[in-house]
Amino acid sequence: SQQGEEDPQALSIQEGENATMNCSYKTSINNLQWYRQNSGRGLVHLILIRSNEREKHSGRLRVTLDTSKKSSSLLITASRAADTASYFCATTLNFGNEKLTFGTGTRLTIIP
Amino acid sequence: DAMVIQNPRYQVTQFGKPVTLSCSQTLNHNVMYWYQQKSSQAPKLLFHYYDKDFNNEADTPDNFQSRRPNTSFCFLDIRSPGLGDAAMYLCATSIQPRGNNQPQHFGDGTRLSIL
């Protein structure tokens, strides 16, 4: 299965600290995306990184991609209580494939 | 605001009684997806429409069907719901020129309970 695995499964940190989540996948990808899901809600797209990119930033988010290790990380800096959510990585397998395969997710809790 | 809307947010049905979930979008996206998400799990793709072309996942049970009468609307029909079908059902859309993967936009889901 292509499904990614995320590490850790759950993470609790103090407000203001940085949070790092990792994602590993099994086969070659076209791009990797990160999504956030608040409890009982739909998923919200955060950032997309293509297979030929190594790092991308968006506000307090930083995503890295290492295709040789088949892994990605999401860093949230200066965390806020509103960042409490589940975070999923998702991959597209090949060029032209419009399907996403989601990882298992990391449940992030920010303690005020 | 352009968005993906799912109705209802909560749906209760009886074991074996057909149920239909609906999704509408104002984004004019050509691809629409249906996912099933069980508690503390990743969303699992059931099927998707690329324009009018229906694409079923190999492991989606026959009990699940879908209709897309036009660009804006897509329906998920569960013909005979079982207890194992209780889940959150998420609709998503994306705009996909062939060969250019784009982010997906999700609705807030319908939580289905089976009595």
Side-chain angles (χ1 to χ4, degrees):
Chain A
S1 165
Q2 167 63 16
Q3 185 179 47
E5 292 188 3
E6 293 183 58
D7 170 54
Q9 288 188 329
L11 177 63
S12 292
I13 60 172
Q14 296 288 331
E15 192 169 20
E17 293 180 340
N18 296 342
T20 300
M21 289 157 271
N22 302 295
C23 168
S24 61
Y25 55 92
K26 295 179 182 176
T27 63
S28 296
I29 60 170
N30 176 262
N31 69 52
L32 185 144
Q33 303 177 30
W34 285 90
Y35 288 80
R36 184 187 75 233
Q37 184 177 32
N38 290 89
S39 181
R41 305 295 297 272
L43 282 77
V44 175
H45 177 259
L46 296 175
I47 201 162
L48 181 154
I49 186 165
R50 301 196 184 281
S51 59
N52 61 354
E53 297 175 310
R54 291 297 167 257
E55 188 170 310
K56 227 172 169 181
H57 297 254
S58 177
R60 293 182 297 113
L61 305 181
R62 186 190 124 196
V63 167
T64 62
L65 179 64
D66 187 335
T67 53
S68 67
K69 295 181 180 178
K70 293 186 171 56
S71 67
S72 174
S73 67
L74 170 66
L75 168 67
I76 304 174
T77 60
S79 62
R80 305 169 181 169
D83 295 328
T84 294
S86 292
Y87 291 81
F88 293 93
C89 67
T91 53
T92 55
L93 285 181
N94 51 49
F95 198 65
N97 188 329
E98 63 274 8
K99 299 195 299 185
L100 285 175
T101 302
F102 284 89
T104 50
T106 293
R107 174 69 190 168
L108 176 65
T109 302
I110 308 300
I111 304 165
Chain B
D1 288 343
M3 56 199 325
V4 181
I5 301 167
Q6 290 190 244
N7 284 308
R9 290 293 311 279
Y10 302 92
Q11 175 75 55
V12 180
T13 192
Q14 292 179 328
F15 182 94
K17 185 175 181 181
V19 65
T20 294
L21 310 182
S22 71
C23 176
S24 64
Q25 55 132 339
T26 59
L27 297 162
N28 203 32
H29 284 175
N30 61 323
V31 189
M32 294 187 78
Y33 309 80
W34 279 105
Y35 292 88
Q36 179 192 67
Q37 186 179 30
K38 296 190 175 180
S39 184
S40 300
Q41 294 185 20
K44 178 179 179 298
L45 182 65
L46 296 173
F47 25 59
H48 74 283
Y49 278 91
Y50 190 105
D51 297 321
K52 295 181 180 180
D53 295 333
F54 178 70
N55 300 269
N56 198 30
E57 294 301 295
D59 57 354
T60 297
D62 292 340
N63 201 22
F64 291 83
Q65 310 264 307
S66 185
R67 296 170 283 136
R68 188 179 186 186
N70 54 52
T71 300
S72 301
F73 287 88
C74 196
F75 300 97
L76 169 61
D77 301 308
I78 308 176
R79 292 191 295 185
S80 181
L83 296 177
D85 297 328
M88 174 78 92
Y89 290 88
L90 295 164
C91 174
T93 71
S94 69
I95 188 155
Q96 298 286 4
R98 284 287 185 192
N100 186 10
N101 304 105
Q102 294 296 314
Q104 295 185 15
H105 299 254
F106 284 79
D108 274 336
T110 294
R111 183 166 295 284
L112 178 66
S113 299
I114 313 295
L115 299 179

